[in-house]
Amino acid sequence: MANSTEAQKPQNTKKNKKKGATLDTFYGAKIQNTEQIEEDIQENAPKSSKGNGNSPQTHEEFESEMTKKMEAFWEEKWEIMQKKFMHLQNQFDQTVKENQALKQELIKQSQNTKKLEENIKYLTDKVIDLENRGRRENLRIIGLPEKPEINTKLDMVIQDIIKENCPEILEQGGNTATDRAHRTPSTLNPQKTTPRNVIAKFQSYQTKEKILQEARKRQFRYKGMPIRVTQDLASSTLNDRKAWNMIFRKARELGLQPRISYPEKLTIYFQGKVWAFNKIEDFQLFAKKRPELCGKFDTENQRARNT
């Protein structure tokens, strides 16, 4: 007896199989995943006929049709990829142009900055020079005791200094009058043990120069106490002159008759000639080439103290 119930055929698992999700590739172009493509191929593949053995579509035709579809598919994706690539290439070219423009602008700004620095230096030097010229009639007195009886009568004290150290100027009828005299800085620092400098402005530039020349020849005194009289200059110029202090003292010990010329130039008298130096490096090179001077000036120690 034939089996009344035929064995149930397994359900087509392909229908229940969850189709593959789509992939985002080639910059957002959507294509089916490989599982979906395989299902499509199997479903569209030519099926053999049990009756006559003929196939409604030969394998060659099927393969040709599928090849054309795949070629069209990949050609479309290739075009998308090329468009994306061209877009990126254009963005890259634009970035290169912008970078070149920025580079040119940077060079321009650098040149402008250099010009500004040169102008600032020129103007700074000009202001310092004008300040120094405005002090041409001034003398700076260093070491004058800090006492009330002196501070309240600075004009009279300066006249006493002239009488004690260079009376010939008074004998020649020179105008030693001062317009004003004051301590600098204006406020006394109780922590400082040294007295503040005194700035005296003379009415006569010639008289001031004569006093300065005498002060360069010998030690000035006030009532027996040693003091120093120098040219009054801008603070920046005075700091530049301080760089020569150690060299100046040693040159004086060696009898080289050193002198600091305006604004901060050192001159010495050596081997019958007057030599001038604008920088310590210039003097250092000069001294190294002369056996009489080589090793006698500690210019490196001087530089370290200045820094």
Side-chain angles (χ1 to χ4, degrees):
M1 181 176 174
N3 230 341
S4 60
T5 58
E6 295 180 356
Q8 292 184 350
K9 295 182 180 180
Q11 294 182 353
N12 189 354
T13 58
K14 294 180 181 179
K15 292 183 180 180
N16 295 328
K17 184 187 291 185
K18 186 178 180 180
K19 292 187 177 181
T22 59
L23 301 177
D24 288 342
T25 59
F26 296 102
Y27 306 99
K30 293 185 177 180
I31 64 171
Q32 293 175 315
N33 62 15
T34 54
E35 291 182 357
Q36 184 63 40
I37 294 174
E38 289 176 357
E39 288 181 4
D40 292 344
I41 292 174
Q42 291 177 5
E43 289 177 358
N44 296 324
K47 299 178 176 59
S48 60
S49 173
K50 294 182 179 179
N52 53 17
N54 294 327
S55 174
Q57 185 182 23
T58 64
H59 285 283
E60 289 79 5
E61 292 173 345
F62 172 77
E63 290 178 356
S64 176
E65 182 180 350
M66 294 306 297
T67 300
K68 290 179 181 180
K69 288 183 178 181
M70 293 300 293
E71 287 177 351
F73 171 81
W74 289 113
E75 184 177 354
E76 178 184 357
K77 304 311 171 188
W78 175 250
E79 289 178 358
I80 294 173
M81 186 177 68
Q82 282 185 319
K83 290 179 180 179
K84 294 292 184 180
F85 176 79
M86 290 302 297
H87 177 69
L88 290 175
Q89 183 66 42
N90 292 335
Q91 286 185 331
F92 176 77
D93 294 341
Q94 182 64 26
T95 303
V96 170
K97 290 180 181 179
E98 291 175 355
N99 287 340
Q100 290 176 347
L102 288 174
K103 184 177 180 180
Q104 293 297 325
E105 183 65 21
L106 182 61
I107 293 173
K108 183 178 179 181
Q109 292 298 329
S110 178
Q111 293 173 346
N112 291 338
T113 301
K114 185 177 180 181
K115 289 181 181 179
L116 286 174
E117 290 175 349
E118 292 174 352
N119 290 338
I120 290 173
K121 185 179 184 306
Y122 170 78
L123 292 174
T124 302
D125 293 343
K126 193 72 174 177
V127 170
I128 293 173
D129 182 66
L130 290 173
E131 183 179 355
N132 286 330
R133 292 181 183 278
R135 298 170 181 256
R136 293 175 72 248
E137 291 82 15
N138 294 1
L139 283 179
R140 182 179 291 262
I141 304 171
I142 304 171
L144 197 62
E146 189 85 43
K147 297 180 180 180
E149 60 269 23
I150 293 178
N151 293 343
T152 56
K153 300 178 180 179
L154 285 174
D155 291 333
M156 296 177 61
V157 169
I158 291 169
Q159 297 301 319
D160 292 340
I161 292 173
I162 296 173
K163 291 177 184 179
E164 185 175 350
N165 295 277
C166 43
E168 62 275 7
I169 295 177
L170 294 173
E171 295 171 0
Q172 295 171 1
N175 180 13
T176 60
T178 57
D179 284 336
R180 59 181 178 274
H182 64 276
R183 292 277 187 179
T184 181
S186 58
T187 304
L188 177 63
N189 185 354
Q191 296 181 351
K192 276 198 169 186
T193 57
T194 57
R196 293 173 293 168
N197 295 348
V198 173
I199 305 297
K201 181 178 176 60
F202 287 80
Q203 293 181 356
S204 171
Y205 171 77
Q206 289 77 12
T207 300
K208 167 255 171 183
E209 280 295 306
K210 289 179 181 179
I211 297 172
L212 187 60
Q213 289 174 7
E214 294 299 322
R216 288 168 178 163
K217 295 177 183 177
R218 59 183 181 273
Q219 176 73 63
F220 268 34
R221 296 181 178 274
Y222 173 68
K223 294 183 178 181
M225 294 180 294
I227 59 173
R228 272 202 315 132
V229 177
T230 66
Q231 174 69 53
D232 179 40
L233 297 168
S235 58
S236 58
T237 305
L238 290 174
N239 290 333
D240 291 338
R241 287 191 169 201
K242 286 180 181 178
W244 292 106
N245 282 352
M246 293 182 64
I247 294 175
F248 186 91
R249 288 195 291 268
K250 188 62 180 179
R252 178 179 286 176
E253 292 176 6
L254 297 175
L256 300 178
Q257 304 176 24
R259 180 178 176 182
I260 303 295
S261 302
Y262 181 80
E264 55 267 346
K265 181 189 297 183
L266 173 71
T267 60
I268 62 172
Y269 186 78
F270 179 71
Q271 293 182 347
K273 296 181 180 180
V274 177
W275 303 83
F277 308 94
N278 292 314
K279 298 180 180 179
I280 291 179
E281 291 81 2
D282 298 337
F283 178 83
Q284 184 181 21
L285 184 62
F286 174 85
K288 283 183 177 180
K289 294 180 179 180
R290 273 73 182 177
E292 302 91 334
L293 304 178
C294 185
K296 296 182 179 180
F297 293 90
D298 190 2
T299 54
E300 292 300 326
N301 189 25
Q302 171 70 61
R303 193 192 314 279
R305 291 194 177 188
N306 292 333
T307 55

